[in-house]
Amino acid sequence: MNRAMILHSWRRYRPPLLTTISYSAPRTLRMMTTSNIAPPTSQQQATTNQTRRTRYDATAKRPNKICDPYGQQGRPMAMEQALLHHRDMLNSNDQWVIVPRGGNNDNSDSSSEQSLPPLFLTRDLEHPSYLAGAEFGRKIAAVAVVHNHYPISLQLRRKIVRKQWKTITTVQCQTLVLGGLSTMDFHLAMMIDIELNRPELQQLIVDNDNAAKE
């Protein structure tokens, strides 16, 4: 008997031991596992759905009179209070502008705008280069993280001003859950002004007042 006939005989009459171990055992385990699991009843499914609906979510509701982390009874700051905070906390800095809901950005005291709460607090800062503006945005982000209150918008862009390209960062402060301003927005603006007095940040912005005097 030559070698080819020996191999043919072994392949034909080999025991199915390996096949049983490789394929029968997993199929048996799957049948045992699935046969012992009963589908949930309608009552159990209803209980599960009710539990999911009633699960507490801290971000699902706005501040109110009971849960009032900003001390404003869950309401945005009125224009009169915003003007007082602008005077006391920002020393009436004209570069920080209170934007009313009417869209007039001049901190006016008209009677129609006094009745509506302001929308947000904003300021534009110019940079000598785009990289300086990006580094400035990183510094402002660090200030927001430290004080746990964040601008609603921190936008770096280039635009043409008097036929020249300018790199400008626009900072907009607003308490989103209130839909308007809170004391934390003015506090964040005040901390940004304090950071602007540091020498390393003064190199990242263009002082328009000194440039106009020169």
Side-chain angles (χ1 to χ4, degrees), residues 20 23-35:
T20 304
Y23 299 98
S24 299
R27 185 163 57 248
T28 305
L29 291 177
R30 287 197 300 269
M31 292 176 61
M32 293 175 59
T33 305
T34 55
S35 61

Side-chain angles (χ1 to χ4, degrees), residues 33-45:
T33 305
T34 55
S35 61
N36 295 332
I37 299 177
T41 61
S42 58
Q43 184 176 2
Q44 292 176 349
Q45 188 67 28

Side-chain angles (χ1 to χ4, degrees), residues 9-192:
S9 301
W10 180 82
R11 291 174 181 173
R12 183 177 180 182
Y13 298 103
R14 62 178 178 177
L17 179 60
L18 297 177
T19 305
T20 304
I21 294 176
S22 301
Y23 299 98
S24 299
R27 185 163 57 248
T28 305
L29 291 177
R30 287 197 300 269
M31 292 176 61
M32 293 175 59
T33 305
T34 55
S35 61
N36 295 332
I37 299 177
T41 61
S42 58
Q43 184 176 2
Q44 292 176 349
Q45 188 67 28
T47 304
T48 304
N49 296 336
Q50 184 67 20
T51 304
R52 292 176 180 175
R53 286 195 297 268
T54 58
R55 184 176 298 174
Y56 176 73
D57 185 5
T59 63
K61 296 183 179 180
R62 296 179 180 271
N64 49 40
K65 294 182 180 180
I66 299 176
C67 179
D68 187 18
Y70 300 100
Q72 300 177 189
Q73 296 183 354
R75 299 177 180 176
M77 185 179 295
M79 180 60 76
E80 297 86 352
Q81 297 177 345
L83 293 174
L84 291 176
H85 280 73
H86 188 272
R87 182 194 64 187
D88 298 337
M89 300 183 68
L90 301 178
N91 296 324
S92 299
N93 189 352
D94 294 336
Q95 295 183 358
W96 284 104
V97 179
I98 300 175
V99 179
R101 297 185 183 275
N104 189 12
N105 301 354
D106 57 357
N107 287 344
S108 61
D109 296 335
S110 61
S111 58
S112 61
E113 294 176 353
Q114 286 285 336
S115 59
L116 297 175
L119 190 59
F120 51 81
L121 182 68
T122 183
R123 179 176 180 178
D124 292 339
L125 298 106
E126 184 180 348
H127 310 287
S129 65
Y130 197 84
L131 290 176
E135 180 65 18
F136 176 80
R138 191 181 69 85
K139 298 289 186 181
I140 298 302
V143 174
V145 170
V146 168
H147 296 280
N148 196 24
H149 192 74
Y150 303 87
I152 190 175
S153 176
L154 184 62
Q155 182 182 11
L156 174 64
R157 69 188 190 277
R158 297 181 73 234
K159 68 177 184 178
I160 297 178
V161 179
R162 296 178 181 177
K163 298 182 180 181
Q164 293 182 354
W165 283 103
K166 302 290 185 180
T167 303
I168 296 176
T169 293
T170 301
V171 184
Q172 292 182 356
C173 300
Q174 185 195 61
T175 303
L176 187 60
V177 295
L178 295 178
L181 294 177
S182 68
T183 306
M184 293 298 298
D185 298 314
F186 288 93
H187 181 263
L188 179 61
M190 181 180 65
M191 299 310 300
I192 292 175

